[in-house]
Amino acid sequence: MIEAVLWDVDDTLFDFTGSERAGLLHHFEAEGLPSDQAALDRWQQITTSEYRRLAAGELTYEQQRRTRVRRFVDRPLSDTEADAWYDRYEALFEAAWSAFPDVAAALDALPHRKGVLSNSSTVHQERRLTALGLRHHFEVLLCSDRLGRAKPDPAAFQAACTALNLPPAAVAYVGDKLDIDAVGAHNAGLHAIWLDRAETATPTPTGIHRISTLNELPVVLAAC
């Protein structure tokens, strides 16, 4: 029986992609940079590359953020300058923050204990969940910056289960990324639930539960 549900945050609870798009376009325009789809695609490519290095332990959270800025503007910046550039973006990003429409009701309805496991900064996710009015749902909030481990490393999922004082078999994990969230959770022994909001054509691997909205979650949890 599932006793607790662990959650990813970005693009699972928090509409990171929509909020990021709005914030980036406003920021690029304010910085006198191209503010179009090509610029967004380039930012995303850089972000994906540097997040891989973060997950591999090659960079700290702050280092990967500065590296993303330097690569995007394509000129040398001091740490202070890179931080200031990113802070200007963050202000516009935060102004656009929103949760997905199905989140509040889903969290209110589930009787399970709840926690967060995120490949992000603890400070950032504390602020986001608080600003969105969701922080009170979670008794545990663990992020890769303090864990020293990042999803899909089984050790990250197991650390979250330990924080809940539960075995992996009693915990479900809900996340939007098939490889990092669902497959990672499954390999760590948790019940893996892939939230595929876009309803992609990607086949569902064996052992993974797939939903397209959180409205489907109670049925899946009851069947686990």
Side-chain angles (χ1 to χ4, degrees):
M1 183 177 72
I2 293 176
E3 297 183 48
V5 180
L6 281 168
W7 296 79
D8 174 55
V9 177
D10 298 344
D11 283 328
T12 297
L13 301 171
F14 165 50
D15 184 5
F16 181 93
T17 297
S19 302
E20 180 186 50
R21 178 184 178 84
L24 282 171
L25 289 175
H26 286 139
H27 180 54
F28 295 162
E29 183 177 4
E31 296 291 314
L33 299 168
S35 53
D36 53 17
Q37 188 60 49
L40 291 171
D41 290 344
R42 183 164 172 267
W43 176 261
Q44 187 56 54
Q45 290 164 3
I46 291 171
T47 297
T48 299
S49 171
E50 297 308 321
Y51 262 57
R52 288 198 190 102
R53 297 178 66 196
L54 172 67
E58 298 175 15
L59 298 173
T60 65
Y61 186 82
E62 291 74 18
Q63 287 171 336
Q64 63 80 28
R65 196 174 75 165
R66 291 165 183 156
T67 302
R68 286 159 62 199
V69 172
R70 290 174 180 132
R71 287 183 60 187
F72 186 77
V73 301
D74 196 24
R75 57 189 172 87
L77 296 174
S78 68
D79 286 353
T80 299
E81 290 170 328
D83 289 343
W85 192 97
Y86 200 91
D87 287 346
R88 292 192 295 275
Y89 155 61
E90 279 274 295
L92 295 170
F93 175 41
E94 290 182 23
W97 283 358
S98 65
F100 288 103
D102 57 358
V103 169
L107 292 174
D108 285 337
L110 289 180
H112 307 78
R113 297 169 61 195
K114 302 174 186 71
V116 162
L117 176 62
S118 168
N119 280 3
S120 186
S121 155
T122 304
V123 170
H124 280 83
Q125 297 300 37
E126 285 277 6
R127 288 182 61 214
R128 286 172 186 167
L129 291 170
T130 298
L132 295 171
L134 303 175
R135 179 63 181 90
H136 66 284
H137 288 288
F138 307 105
E139 61 182 89
V140 166
L141 191 155
L142 297 175
C143 294
S144 57
D145 66 328
R146 294 187 183 173
L147 275 179
R149 295 286 189 276
K151 301 174 296 181
D153 187 338
F157 293 96
Q158 290 158 5
C161 292
T162 298
L164 290 166
N165 198 28
L166 290 172
V171 181
Y173 191 85
V174 181
D176 70 292
K177 294 181 175 59
L178 175 58
D179 52 351
I180 293 173
D181 294 324
V183 174
H186 176 69
N187 289 343
L190 289 74
H191 298 272
I193 302 171
W194 175 29
L195 178 58
D196 179 23
R197 293 187 182 276
E199 300 185 71
T200 63
T202 305
T204 307
T206 301
I208 306 295
H209 302 278
R210 182 177 187 165
I211 59 177
S212 60
T213 170
L214 294 181
N215 297 330
E216 303 170 53
L217 186 58
V219 173
V220 172
L221 291 174
C224 288

